[in-house]
Amino acid sequence: MTVETAATQGKKDFKTDGSALKGNYREYGLVLALILIMLFFQYTTSGVLFKPVNLTNLVLQNSYIIIMALGMLLVIVAGHIDLSVGSVSGFIGGLAAVMMVRWQIHYIPATILCLIMGGAIGAAQGYWIAYHKIPSFIVTLAGMLVFRGLALWLLGGQSVGPFPPQFQLLSSGFIPDFFGYPGFNVTSMLVGIILVALMIYFSVRGRAKREKHGYQGEPFALFVAKNLIIAGIVLFLTYLLSSYKGLPNVLIVMSLLIALFVFVTKRMTVGRRIYAMGGNEKAAKLSGIKTERLTFLTFVNMGVLAALAGLIFAARLNTATPKAGLGFELDVIAAVFIGGASAMGGVGQVMGAVIGAFIMGVMNNGMSIMGVNIDWQQVIKGLVLLAAVIFDVYNKNKA
Amino acid sequence: METILEMCNITKVFPGVKALNNVNLNVRKGEIHALVGENGAGKSTLMKVLSGVYPHGSYEGEIFYNGQEQHFRGISDSEKQGIIIIHQELALVPLLSIAENIFLGNEPAKFGIIDWHVAENRTRELLAKVGLKEDPLTLITNLGVGKQQLVEIAKALSKDVELLILDEPTASLNEKDSDALLDLLLEFKAHGISSILISHKLNEVGKVADRITVLRDGATIETLDKQDISEDRIVTSMVGRQLADRFPQREPDIGEVVFEVKDWVVHHHIHSERTVINGINLNVRKGEVVGIAGLMGAGRTEFAMSVFGKAYGRNISGEVFINGRKVDVSTIGKAIDNGIAYVTEDRKTYGLNLIDHIKHNATIANLEGVSHNGVLDDMAELKVANEYRRKTNIRSSSIYQRTGNLSGGNQQKVVLSKWLFANPDLLILDEPTRGIDVGAKYEIYTIINQLVSEGKSVLMISSEMPELLGVCDRIYVMNQGRLVGEMPASEASQEKIMRAIIRAEGKAS
Ligand SMILES: Nc1ncnc2c1ncn2[C@@H]1O[C@H](COP(=O)(O)OP(=O)(O)OP(=O)(O)O)[C@@H](O)[C@H]1O
Ligand SMILES: [Mg+2]
């Protein structure tokens, strides 16, 4: 057995960093898969996929799935599942419509009330799951039926709309352009550039900090390549979006949320505790983690995000329909599993879930443009989900 | 004598670790062959190679069994040849009966319909052979570990065993049960069954083994014959140097009472009418190591866990004082905040997140110590993890090795690290050296000494009496949920402890 002694271990940090490196490889693999899928559809749709209009649509169409995937990731990492998110988002969309359209409540308090309502729904479900140990599958299955029913009841089976124009901006708006350059949103491009600069700054700083403490990061070439590729992709996409109407508001909201959740899961104690709980609840509990409260909070969080998704979806359609959100839970859950989360809990990454959601989104979009029938779309999506999970399980067994 | 098993030049590599490096093992027909070595030396891995858990092709080297080269592709292949392994971690289904467990996957059936009558009768025969007086229909959950171990052996017997492999079978048994088990091995030997016995309890190895093979760092060091077997000889060979003492010296510096429990009563977590802990009063002083002796099932773990934030039991009553002040320990968080830590005896269920690596496991009980305002400081965490890996001498490829892939003893050290880093005033250790090799035991005792010399206190539950006698300042004896004796270690002896227990048993019945 060639275990290096404790004294020499410091410098070798990265090379022997088996699990962490493998985790990274998986994320690289996912990004690669996404790129390949995009190129594939770019080709089969004769270049429609990357048209600025379509790209903008892609973001708008998938924002609510991605936002819910963030909450679902935490739920799944905690060792649970939430089947109710589609119904909850539909219900909240309906609630928003009733408040803003029928009762003429100003859109800001209405939005806040809706988010609070989402949190309350999450709390109601989380209460049974966390404190009474009712399986989440059952509680949220019930929630799925209940809130679908309530949405129907609330809207009286009809569509309600249109929403106030300011509220629509949540989905259909773009960040304002201060330069007025025709055909190109300079502000958006600048935002993109600043974002990339910040990203590079933080990753260089992080690396420097590691090295200062005597820990080696990933190989320098890999580090540079990774940052350049990501920067390139972000700049390229920003450029495309800017040459249409600019960055959609919802993209900003979404990006901020993604950044927040990456930070929470990777850098915050709460996040660490959720992973610990999903990995071994009993051990987590005996380590002083308040597992009940943590479970409860993951569901509250999920409820708020489902509500936000419902609002965005309603704003995008500019009307609330009783069928809104139907089947969303499946796309959301699929995205999280494609992203590498484990159904057993304790494993999964925010970026994985986001990329997983994009993979689903690009496939939806690409196949629709190609004119693939909806029936076959379902078949293909199902198979992709299965393949991704089989790939994961196979890799795990091999290791 | 005839050779039954020959393993030649076995090499097994895991990502980042060469667990076995050209290991040779030779077992004769009808002998008890002991396999010893430090934690992580590769004992369990070697046995998993032998039994096909790691299939042919995933390792290098050859296995000859009864003179023929074998390519086992799975456990069923090796079982067909009469090689039966009982793993370090028991693998019985808790909610099935003894009979169902013994014939799991091997049910006596006609046309797919199980003949439970036959199964029960055969179970009864097998249980008689291993000397276990239990009904075949008893559920496994209702058995203690010792009896479960016997069920495992009965299960092995049901499969026409020729070579029985036992991976630390006595680690969680008390002396009486261990002896019964070892006698059983001797009896099997008389019937021509060979066994391979892995154990860290060198006295029992010396008692029953015909030959001993020593592994160190994944390599065979030597094979000793019966006449050469002495504990010191084995230890030297295992750790590669002489180990003068088993227990490090310490000058006790004992102060005031810091921890006190009064009238502690706990009821069973399911059958709440049953009293598990019955009016316990005990105290621990500053800088003191206090032991709790007792037989398996005396209620020591239940006591400790109930004090540690009601992690066990129902209808708990009684009071806990720290530094003379009554404290609330009704939740684990509060217990930890009051400076109490509990190191579990069951590392897999209660101690570790097996799918995560050492670093994350080591800090989880004290994330505040590596974070500011809820934001983790990666560098601080790395430093802590590496420091404790060194302190407790965890053998792993790095702090990023998954704890699920560590050897049993090294897993134990991770659990210990976690609680050391939580920096408690009172550390409750529950069988802290279970499954730990002699060298590492010494290290753990040293850590205990260091803790108390810093003015902390330790409450140690152990079934190994020499350990209690060697480490503690004062020993309580517990039996059936009551304290039945208390003595300074200087006046204590194994006989005195046993006498206290027997006297109490006599009174109880
Ligand atoms: N699946 C695995 N992946 C990676 N490394 C492993 C795996 N299984 C075992 N190891 C490593 O192989 C080495 C030998 O482990 P093994 O379990 O055989 O030790 P052992 O001699 O049985 O120790 P103990 O007395 O503590 O049970 C250890 O360093 C362990 O970390
Ligand atoms: Mg082992």
Side-chain angles (χ1 to χ4, degrees), chain A residues 15 39 41 52 60 125 146 151 169 197 217 219 233 263 265 281 294 299-300 351 354 368 377 380 391:
Chain A
K15 276 182 219 125
L39 292 178
F41 283 115
L60 297 181
Q125 302 192 87
V146 167
L169 286 181
I233 291 175
F263 187 75
T265 52
E281 188 176 348
L294 203 55
F299 277 93
V300 173
M351 278 322 285
V354 170
S368 300
Q377 287 193 23
I380 292 171
F391 178 77

mmCIF file of all heavy atoms in Angstrom, chain A residues 15 39 41 52 60 125 146 151 169 197 217 219 233 263 265 281 294 299-300 351 354 368 377 380 391:
data_model
loop_
_atom_site.group_PDB
_atom_site.id
_atom_site.type_symbol
_atom_site.label_atom_id
_atom_site.label_comp_id
_atom_site.label_asym_id
_atom_site.label_seq_id
_atom_site.Cartn_x
_atom_site.Cartn_y
_atom_site.Cartn_z
ATOM 1 N N LYS A 15 -3.655 16.135 -6.961
ATOM 2 C CA LYS A 15 -3.469 14.873 -7.680
ATOM 3 C C LYS A 15 -4.156 13.718 -6.980
ATOM 4 O O LYS A 15 -4.741 12.855 -7.607
ATOM 5 C CB LYS A 15 -1.977 14.572 -7.816
ATOM 6 C CG LYS A 15 -1.382 15.279 -9.014
ATOM 7 C CD LYS A 15 0.090 14.922 -9.164
ATOM 8 C CE LYS A 15 0.865 16.129 -9.582
ATOM 9 N NZ LYS A 15 1.974 16.443 -8.708
ATOM 10 N N LEU A 39 -24.479 21.836 -30.670
ATOM 11 C CA LEU A 39 -23.917 21.814 -32.020
ATOM 12 C C LEU A 39 -24.750 20.922 -32.926
ATOM 13 O O LEU A 39 -25.017 21.245 -34.082
ATOM 14 C CB LEU A 39 -22.459 21.337 -31.977
ATOM 15 C CG LEU A 39 -21.494 22.305 -31.311
ATOM 16 C CD1 LEU A 39 -20.090 21.738 -31.261
ATOM 17 C CD2 LEU A 39 -21.507 23.655 -32.030
ATOM 18 N N PHE A 41 -27.927 20.274 -32.743
ATOM 19 C CA PHE A 41 -29.170 20.926 -33.170
ATOM 20 C C PHE A 41 -28.883 22.147 -34.041
ATOM 21 O O PHE A 41 -29.675 22.477 -34.930
ATOM 22 C CB PHE A 41 -30.019 21.312 -31.964
ATOM 23 C CG PHE A 41 -30.739 20.133 -31.372
ATOM 24 C CD1 PHE A 41 -30.445 19.686 -30.099
ATOM 25 C CD2 PHE A 41 -31.707 19.461 -32.113
ATOM 26 C CE1 PHE A 41 -31.100 18.599 -29.562
ATOM 27 C CE2 PHE A 41 -32.370 18.369 -31.585
ATOM 28 C CZ PHE A 41 -32.058 17.933 -30.302
ATOM 29 N N PRO A 52 -30.078 34.730 -32.530
ATOM 30 C CA PRO A 52 -30.340 35.501 -31.309
ATOM 31 C C PRO A 52 -31.779 35.391 -30.826
ATOM 32 O O PRO A 52 -32.019 35.256 -29.636
ATOM 33 C CB PRO A 52 -29.998 36.930 -31.738
ATOM 34 C CG PRO A 52 -28.958 36.746 -32.778
ATOM 35 C CD PRO A 52 -29.293 35.488 -33.508
ATOM 36 N N LEU A 60 -35.906 32.277 -22.074
ATOM 37 C CA LEU A 60 -37.216 32.571 -21.505
ATOM 38 C C LEU A 60 -37.988 31.291 -21.216
ATOM 39 O O LEU A 60 -38.629 31.150 -20.182
ATOM 40 C CB LEU A 60 -38.020 33.459 -22.458
ATOM 41 C CG LEU A 60 -37.416 34.841 -22.716
ATOM 42 C CD1 LEU A 60 -38.304 35.649 -23.645
ATOM 43 C CD2 LEU A 60 -37.218 35.580 -21.400
ATOM 44 N N GLN A 125 -46.130 21.503 3.519
ATOM 45 C CA GLN A 125 -45.699 20.159 3.122
ATOM 46 C C GLN A 125 -44.484 19.719 3.930
ATOM 47 O O GLN A 125 -44.399 18.590 4.392
ATOM 48 C CB GLN A 125 -45.381 20.134 1.626
ATOM 49 C CG GLN A 125 -46.560 20.549 0.774
ATOM 50 C CD GLN A 125 -46.336 20.237 -0.691
ATOM 51 O OE1 GLN A 125 -46.628 19.155 -1.149
ATOM 52 N NE2 GLN A 125 -45.791 21.191 -1.420
ATOM 53 N N VAL A 146 -53.751 18.420 -4.703
ATOM 54 C CA VAL A 146 -54.455 19.497 -4.012
ATOM 55 C C VAL A 146 -54.304 20.822 -4.765
ATOM 56 O O VAL A 146 -55.284 21.518 -5.033
ATOM 57 C CB VAL A 146 -53.923 19.648 -2.563
ATOM 58 C CG1 VAL A 146 -54.408 20.951 -1.948
ATOM 59 C CG2 VAL A 146 -54.349 18.455 -1.726
ATOM 60 N N ALA A 151 -55.973 25.312 -8.107
ATOM 61 C CA ALA A 151 -55.743 26.220 -9.230
ATOM 62 C C ALA A 151 -56.988 26.258 -10.115
ATOM 63 O O ALA A 151 -57.441 27.333 -10.545
ATOM 64 C CB ALA A 151 -54.522 25.770 -10.034
ATOM 65 N N LEU A 169 -43.055 42.603 -17.568
ATOM 66 C CA LEU A 169 -41.621 42.838 -17.805
ATOM 67 C C LEU A 169 -40.747 41.783 -17.131
ATOM 68 O O LEU A 169 -39.631 41.517 -17.550
ATOM 69 C CB LEU A 169 -41.212 44.220 -17.282
ATOM 70 C CG LEU A 169 -41.682 45.389 -18.145
ATOM 71 C CD1 LEU A 169 -41.201 46.696 -17.540
ATOM 72 C CD2 LEU A 169 -41.160 45.237 -19.561
ATOM 73 N N ALA A 197 -15.261 39.288 -16.316
ATOM 74 C CA ALA A 197 -14.098 39.814 -15.603
ATOM 75 C C ALA A 197 -14.156 39.402 -14.131
ATOM 76 O O ALA A 197 -13.171 38.931 -13.554
ATOM 77 C CB ALA A 197 -14.048 41.333 -15.723
ATOM 78 N N GLY A 217 -3.546 23.659 -6.842
ATOM 79 C CA GLY A 217 -4.837 23.561 -7.508
ATOM 80 C C GLY A 217 -4.738 22.609 -8.675
ATOM 81 O O GLY A 217 -3.791 21.827 -8.778
ATOM 82 N N PRO A 219 -3.962 21.493 -12.534
ATOM 83 C CA PRO A 219 -2.824 21.905 -13.356
ATOM 84 C C PRO A 219 -3.098 23.241 -14.039
ATOM 85 O O PRO A 219 -4.233 23.526 -14.427
ATOM 86 C CB PRO A 219 -2.740 20.787 -14.400
ATOM 87 C CG PRO A 219 -3.398 19.611 -13.768
ATOM 88 C CD PRO A 219 -4.411 20.136 -12.813
ATOM 89 N N ILE A 233 -17.507 31.187 -23.972
ATOM 90 C CA ILE A 233 -18.909 30.821 -24.171
ATOM 91 C C ILE A 233 -19.829 31.935 -23.674
ATOM 92 O O ILE A 233 -20.761 32.357 -24.376
ATOM 93 C CB ILE A 233 -19.229 29.500 -23.437
ATOM 94 C CG1 ILE A 233 -18.500 28.353 -24.142
ATOM 95 C CG2 ILE A 233 -20.725 29.246 -23.415
ATOM 96 C CD1 ILE A 233 -18.646 27.018 -23.445
ATOM 97 N N PHE A 263 -23.194 29.344 -4.205
ATOM 98 C CA PHE A 263 -22.508 29.805 -2.999
ATOM 99 C C PHE A 263 -23.024 29.080 -1.757
ATOM 100 O O PHE A 263 -22.245 28.604 -0.931
ATOM 101 C CB PHE A 263 -22.699 31.321 -2.848
ATOM 102 C CG PHE A 263 -21.891 31.912 -1.745
ATOM 103 C CD1 PHE A 263 -20.525 32.092 -1.899
ATOM 104 C CD2 PHE A 263 -22.483 32.257 -0.545
ATOM 105 C CE1 PHE A 263 -19.767 32.624 -0.876
ATOM 106 C CE2 PHE A 263 -21.731 32.786 0.486
ATOM 107 C CZ PHE A 263 -20.370 32.970 0.323
ATOM 108 N N THR A 265 -24.491 26.157 -1.502
ATOM 109 C CA THR A 265 -24.164 24.727 -1.427
ATOM 110 C C THR A 265 -22.673 24.487 -1.267
ATOM 111 O O THR A 265 -22.267 23.538 -0.623
ATOM 112 C CB THR A 265 -24.628 23.978 -2.686
ATOM 113 O OG1 THR A 265 -24.126 24.653 -3.836
ATOM 114 C CG2 THR A 265 -26.126 23.889 -2.742
ATOM 115 N N GLU A 281 -28.514 10.594 7.564
ATOM 116 C CA GLU A 281 -29.311 11.470 8.420
ATOM 117 C C GLU A 281 -29.018 11.230 9.897
ATOM 118 O O GLU A 281 -28.911 12.168 10.686
ATOM 119 C CB GLU A 281 -30.794 11.272 8.129
ATOM 120 C CG GLU A 281 -31.620 12.315 8.857
ATOM 121 C CD GLU A 281 -33.094 12.235 8.534
ATOM 122 O OE1 GLU A 281 -33.451 11.532 7.581
ATOM 123 O OE2 GLU A 281 -33.865 12.877 9.260
ATOM 124 N N LEU A 294 -33.856 21.629 9.114
ATOM 125 C CA LEU A 294 -33.197 21.772 7.823
ATOM 126 C C LEU A 294 -34.079 21.224 6.705
ATOM 127 O O LEU A 294 -34.223 21.845 5.641
ATOM 128 C CB LEU A 294 -31.870 21.019 7.883
ATOM 129 C CG LEU A 294 -30.785 21.419 6.918
ATOM 130 C CD1 LEU A 294 -30.494 22.893 7.025
ATOM 131 C CD2 LEU A 294 -29.524 20.612 7.195
ATOM 132 N N PHE A 299 -37.882 22.605 2.068
ATOM 133 C CA PHE A 299 -39.185 22.601 1.407
ATOM 134 C C PHE A 299 -39.776 24.012 1.337
ATOM 135 O O PHE A 299 -40.439 24.358 0.353
ATOM 136 C CB PHE A 299 -40.143 21.624 2.097
ATOM 137 C CG PHE A 299 -39.930 20.214 1.618
ATOM 138 C CD1 PHE A 299 -39.085 19.353 2.288
ATOM 139 C CD2 PHE A 299 -40.543 19.770 0.449
ATOM 140 C CE1 PHE A 299 -38.856 18.072 1.826
ATOM 141 C CE2 PHE A 299 -40.317 18.483 -0.019
ATOM 142 C CZ PHE A 299 -39.477 17.636 0.672
ATOM 143 N N VAL A 300 -39.534 24.813 2.360
ATOM 144 C CA VAL A 300 -39.983 26.208 2.287
ATOM 145 C C VAL A 300 -39.314 26.891 1.097
ATOM 146 O O VAL A 300 -39.956 27.565 0.280
ATOM 147 C CB VAL A 300 -39.643 26.963 3.590
ATOM 148 C CG1 VAL A 300 -39.952 28.439 3.439
ATOM 149 C CG2 VAL A 300 -40.411 26.371 4.759
ATOM 150 N N MET A 351 -24.627 23.484 -10.345
ATOM 151 C CA MET A 351 -24.315 23.693 -11.756
ATOM 152 C C MET A 351 -24.742 22.488 -12.577
ATOM 153 O O MET A 351 -25.176 22.625 -13.715
ATOM 154 C CB MET A 351 -22.817 23.971 -11.951
ATOM 155 C CG MET A 351 -22.394 25.402 -11.694
ATOM 156 S SD MET A 351 -23.564 26.655 -12.236
ATOM 157 C CE MET A 351 -23.321 26.638 -13.988
ATOM 158 N N VAL A 354 -28.359 22.873 -13.269
ATOM 159 C CA VAL A 354 -28.606 23.937 -14.246
ATOM 160 C C VAL A 354 -28.290 23.444 -15.652
ATOM 161 O O VAL A 354 -29.076 23.620 -16.593
ATOM 162 C CB VAL A 354 -27.749 25.180 -13.903
ATOM 163 C CG1 VAL A 354 -27.816 26.193 -15.030
ATOM 164 C CG2 VAL A 354 -28.219 25.792 -12.600
ATOM 165 N N SER A 368 -38.349 20.755 -31.402
ATOM 166 C CA SER A 368 -39.530 21.473 -31.877
ATOM 167 C C SER A 368 -39.238 22.157 -33.213
ATOM 168 O O SER A 368 -40.042 22.092 -34.135
ATOM 169 C CB SER A 368 -39.967 22.530 -30.866
ATOM 170 O OG SER A 368 -40.282 21.916 -29.662
ATOM 171 N N GLN A 377 -40.669 13.374 -29.002
ATOM 172 C CA GLN A 377 -39.871 14.206 -28.091
ATOM 173 C C GLN A 377 -39.834 13.602 -26.691
ATOM 174 O O GLN A 377 -38.786 13.530 -26.057
ATOM 175 C CB GLN A 377 -40.479 15.613 -28.006
ATOM 176 C CG GLN A 377 -40.244 16.442 -29.246
ATOM 177 C CD GLN A 377 -40.563 17.899 -28.997
ATOM 178 O OE1 GLN A 377 -40.555 18.362 -27.864
ATOM 179 N NE2 GLN A 377 -40.827 18.631 -30.060
ATOM 180 N N ILE A 380 -37.608 10.507 -26.571
ATOM 181 C CA ILE A 380 -36.171 10.808 -26.593
ATOM 182 C C ILE A 380 -35.716 11.398 -25.255
ATOM 183 O O ILE A 380 -34.686 11.004 -24.690
ATOM 184 C CB ILE A 380 -35.860 11.772 -27.760
ATOM 185 C CG1 ILE A 380 -36.089 11.018 -29.075
ATOM 186 C CG2 ILE A 380 -34.432 12.282 -27.672
ATOM 187 C CD1 ILE A 380 -36.040 11.881 -30.300
ATOM 188 N N PHE A 391 -25.294 6.003 -16.894
ATOM 189 C CA PHE A 391 -23.897 6.398 -17.005
ATOM 190 C C PHE A 391 -23.304 6.665 -15.623
ATOM 191 O O PHE A 391 -22.211 6.203 -15.289
ATOM 192 C CB PHE A 391 -23.826 7.655 -17.872
ATOM 193 C CG PHE A 391 -22.443 8.215 -18.031
ATOM 194 C CD1 PHE A 391 -21.537 7.638 -18.897
ATOM 195 C CD2 PHE A 391 -22.050 9.334 -17.298
ATOM 196 C CE1 PHE A 391 -20.265 8.159 -19.024
ATOM 197 C CE2 PHE A 391 -20.788 9.858 -17.432
ATOM 198 C CZ PHE A 391 -19.894 9.264 -18.302
#
